[in-house]
Amino acid sequence: MKLVIVESPTKAKTISRFLGKDYVVESSYGHMRDLPKGKLGVDVEKNFEPHYVIPRKIQKKVTALKKEAARADSVILATDEDREGEAIAWHLLHALNVDPKDAKRIVFHEITEDAISEAIKNPRDINEDLVDAQQARRIIDRLVGYKLSPFLWKKIRSGLSAGRVQSVALKIIVEREEEIKAFKPQEYWSIKAIFESGGETIEAELAKLDGKKLDKFYIKTARDAQTIANDIKKGLASITSVVKKDTVRRPLPPFITSTLQRTASSRLGFSAKKTMMFAQKLYESGHITYMRTDSVALSSQSTAAAKAWLGDNLGAEYAKAAPKAYRGKSKLSQEAHEAVRPTDPTVTPETIKVTGDALRIYELIWQRFMASQMPDASFEATVIEVEVKGSKGKYLLRANGNIMKFDGFLKVWPSKIEERLLPNVEKGQELGVKDSVTEQHFTEPPPRYNEASLIKILEEYGIGRPSTYAPIISVIQDRGYVVKDKGRRFVPEEVGVTVNSMLSKHFPDIVDVQFTANIEEEFDSIANGVEDWHKMVRVF
């Protein structure tokens, strides 16, 4: 008998469907060992060695798995293929007292019969570099939490916590709120004119005065705006330019973790935590590929299947672009999975056997993947320039038109497209000025961060990794440091502002964006076997 161990019961159930009677598939229910609660659990004097314990609540499960492992001819560790999954596999060996020689490590990006069969045929050893990178992250986060949290208890109040990455996220939110409070709105005006041509109208916006391009703040008062508007209204108008050109809109790459979370937030109103919960269920049920990834790569089998489906169901013109490959900017060569995609592209949102919010996430993933394999959407853009000769100068106004010629990927990826049809006119043609109107504007402060924009900025700064965005966002809310306003945007609470101020004053490196990004890069170096984790923690 061969014992296969995975993290969750759902994953175990799915995998067991693809293996024969010689295999028993069990779940570890996540981590079997961790640093102890209530004390540091890291020996700072002895090279930062961690002291791992088996939590009391899972000791029965450990005992049961030990018995299964003792009876098995071999143990197969089938945890997720990322740093945390590698660490879970490594901890399993130690918790179950399994000799590494009697254990095999298998990895896969999707839970399908072919993928599991291929993984069983190609086992490997546990990647100690990935384990070390995860250990370094866990130990540094424990050191920060256990050393700084008591400082906050003493200076502010008990029960507060300081986390290495959560504190940077809090700082970003607090600094944005400070920008908003310090913002002073600036007034400016724009002018539009409505022209007539053969019973049709053209609405155009003022762009130049006497050949000089106007910047946004050129017209600062209502009086100046009305003076220009009145002059345009009394002037003589003629068309000086008509330019038509073809433009395209290209499909976005398939999802990675961050873009899935951001899109689910903006389109569905889902939190990152909720998105990942349903994505995890879809993955463990065999419906999508692994959902924690920073790679936009796609297998040739998946793109070929997409091309076939598109040709059969939408027509040859929608399939001619496939297969399409995408390249990402990931530095994590050790963790370059495929993008998040349906395991079987022919299983559409209409035919998949899931419901509710899980279906909404699947539909998003399926649409994005299919769209990535489809042709560009094409448009005809028209720009008409109208010159008005007034008593106070020459005004150039510009009208923009846009008509879709071919929907391409937009066939499956719903997007707001504003089409604007302009009348057929020619250069030199005279127009009547029907009206000229002014519009007042004020500059607006930078918006507060929502989940989508916060994840985007964390990703741009290189803070956190695919598996950490959702926990970061959850913890700063759970601690009461931030709340969401009616627009689902983050507002720092008073205690969050105080915690940020205290940490920024006394521990500036800990909340420094670049310092935190550099730490992430060092974790990557450990994962790639370049840096020693003991040394990295010591320097930190």
Side-chain angles (χ1 to χ4, degrees), residues 110 112 286-289 298 302 338-348 352 362 365-370:
E110 59 185 61
T112 59
H287 296 307
I288 65 170
T289 53
L298 294 167
S302 69
E338 270 196 79
V340 185
R341 63 163 177 83
T343 53
D344 183 356
T346 65
V347 178
T348 66
I352 191 173
Y362 182 80
I365 293 167
W366 185 90
Q367 288 174 336
R368 180 71 163 245
F369 166 71
M370 280 299 186

Side-chain angles (χ1 to χ4, degrees), residues 213-252:
K213 185 178 179 181
L214 304 183
D215 68 38
K216 184 165 74 171
F217 300 108
Y218 180 80
I219 306 172
K220 297 178 180 178
T221 67
R223 183 178 178 180
D224 290 343
Q226 197 58 56
T227 299
I228 293 172
N230 290 340
D231 199 31
I232 290 172
K233 199 170 183 179
K234 296 173 185 175
L236 299 173
S238 63
I239 293 171
T240 57
S241 171
V242 179
V243 176
K244 294 187 177 186
K245 64 177 182 179
D246 290 334
T247 62
V248 297
R249 183 171 166 187
R250 293 184 172 84
L252 293 166

Side-chain angles (χ1 to χ4, degrees), residues 269-529:
F270 286 7
S271 67
K273 183 178 180 180
K274 181 175 180 178
T275 296
M276 294 311 288
M277 179 181 72
F278 285 108
Q280 179 94 30
K281 289 180 179 178
L282 289 168
Y283 165 69
E284 291 179 351
S285 301
H287 296 307
I288 65 170
T289 53
Y290 191 51
M291 65 288 154
R292 293 189 183 93
T293 176
D294 53 10
S295 170
V296 291
L298 294 167
S299 69
S300 57
Q301 294 92 335
S302 69
T303 56
K307 183 180 178 74
W309 188 92
L310 291 167
D312 291 343
N313 292 272
L314 301 184
E317 68 271 28
Y318 291 98
K320 62 184 178 183
K324 291 171 78 173
Y326 292 87
R327 280 188 167 184
K329 300 175 182 177
S330 170
K331 299 175 184 177
L332 304 184
S333 58
Q334 291 272 11
E335 296 183 330
H337 309 125
E338 270 196 79
V340 185
R341 63 163 177 83
T343 53
D344 183 356
T346 65
V347 178
T348 66
E350 292 74 31
T351 59
I352 191 173
K353 293 179 180 178
V354 296
T355 58
D357 289 338
L359 175 60
R360 297 175 75 190
I361 290 292
Y362 182 80
E363 183 176 39
L364 207 60
I365 293 167
W366 185 90
Q367 288 174 336
R368 180 71 163 245
F369 166 71
M370 280 299 186
S372 78
Q373 295 304 298
M374 295 174 71
D376 301 341
S378 61
F379 300 83
E380 182 182 78
T382 304
V383 179
I384 297 175
E385 292 186 342
V386 181
E387 184 182 81
V388 178
K389 293 178 181 177
S391 61
K392 300 180 185 300
K394 285 183 181 179
Y395 307 94
L396 186 137
L397 296 96
R398 190 173 289 131
N400 295 291
N402 193 45
I403 299 298
M404 184 188 292
K405 294 168 67 179
F406 175 58
D407 56 0
F409 74 95
L410 296 172
K411 184 89 169 174
V412 301
W413 184 249
S415 300
K416 288 183 180 178
I417 302 295
E418 193 173 328
E419 292 189 272
R420 189 179 180 193
L421 181 63
L422 296 177
N424 286 321
V425 291
E426 296 178 356
K427 183 178 178 180
Q429 184 176 331
E430 292 185 354
L431 302 173
V433 184
K434 186 177 180 181
D435 200 4
S436 181
V437 295
T438 64
E439 189 174 351
Q440 185 184 35
H441 308 276
F442 290 94
T443 53
E444 294 185 353
R448 288 170 171 155
Y449 289 104
N450 57 20
E451 290 211 9
S453 57
L454 183 59
I455 289 169
K456 184 178 182 182
I457 200 73
L458 290 172
E459 187 178 34
E460 286 176 358
Y461 284 148
I463 295 167
R465 286 300 183 255
S467 62
T468 64
Y469 300 130
I472 289 169
I473 289 170
S474 290
V475 77
I476 57 175
Q477 294 177 89
D478 294 343
R479 297 282 185 255
Y481 294 160
V482 302
V483 293
K484 287 183 178 179
D485 62 16
K486 291 180 180 178
R488 295 189 288 117
R489 295 181 178 275
F490 292 115
V491 184
E493 292 280 64
E494 185 180 348
V495 67
V497 174
T498 306
V499 165
N500 176 68
S501 175
M502 194 68 66
L503 292 177
S504 297
K505 180 179 178 181
H506 296 283
F507 301 95
D509 276 352
I510 293 296
V511 292
D512 180 73
V513 168
Q514 191 55 55
F515 179 80
T516 305
N518 291 341
I519 291 291
E520 293 289 354
E521 290 184 359
E522 289 191 79
F523 291 148
D524 296 347
S525 295
I526 295 168
N528 289 324

